[in-house]
Amino acid sequence: MPQVFSPTATLLVKLCLIALVLIAAAAAFVFRWGLSGAFGAPAAPRQPIPFSHKHHAGDDGIDCRYCHASVDRAAFAGLPATEVCLTCHSQLYTDAPVLNALHESAATATPIAWRRVHDLPDFVYFDHGIHVTRGIACAQCHGHVEEMPVVRRVAPLTMQWCLECHRKQNIARLTDCSTCHR
């Protein structure tokens, strides 16, 4: 029986199929990588309580420092304690099922296990207080969280990204690596 396709046509079809498989694999990799933030952490990790910064910071106008109280004086911005949430939620939406974890936290004196969205590797030292007191707006690194129902990482938070910001702000070059790396 004679061949339907010439050897050249068969080779061309095989190469096209291999190319399609490679393109699909690359697209899947880029899509997966694009949904992850720096260091493979999810850009918007699932939280124990579905907290909306859009509602609290945007609609209600609550300042970042109300919940992240140590942001302007400590290296770590701090995560809100149960008592901070209960300032309002001991009276508002007390029966809302979405707040069951909050009330359980208060009853058991167990802190809420918030998952960090803007997490850096352990070998990196970043001081929020220095940046905030020098007028760097929260949105510059964290984006406009007051518009986000679910907070997502919007900046890569890589070394190159930080250095580029320092260059744009005309901040003196860091000559000692231990300033940022521990």
Side-chain angles (χ1 to χ4, degrees), residues 7-94:
T8 305
T10 302
L11 177 62
L12 188 60
V13 169
K14 287 179 182 179
L15 289 175
C16 285
L17 288 174
I18 290 171
L20 284 173
V21 168
L22 290 176
I23 290 171
F29 176 78
V30 169
F31 180 74
R32 172 88 168 108
W33 181 75
L35 292 180
S36 295
F39 315 110
R46 187 180 184 114
Q47 298 294 348
I49 299 171
F51 182 85
S52 171
H53 279 80
K54 181 182 183 319
H55 170 72
H56 292 84
D59 301 340
D60 292 346
I62 299 172
D63 186 85
C64 301
R65 291 168 290 200
Y66 185 77
C67 300
H68 304 283
S70 64
V71 71
D72 55 354
R73 62 182 181 282
F76 183 59
L79 295 169
T82 301
E83 293 75 24
V84 172
C85 303
L86 287 174
T87 303
C88 297
H89 288 295
S90 63
Q91 298 175 24
L92 298 173
Y93 308 110
T94 56

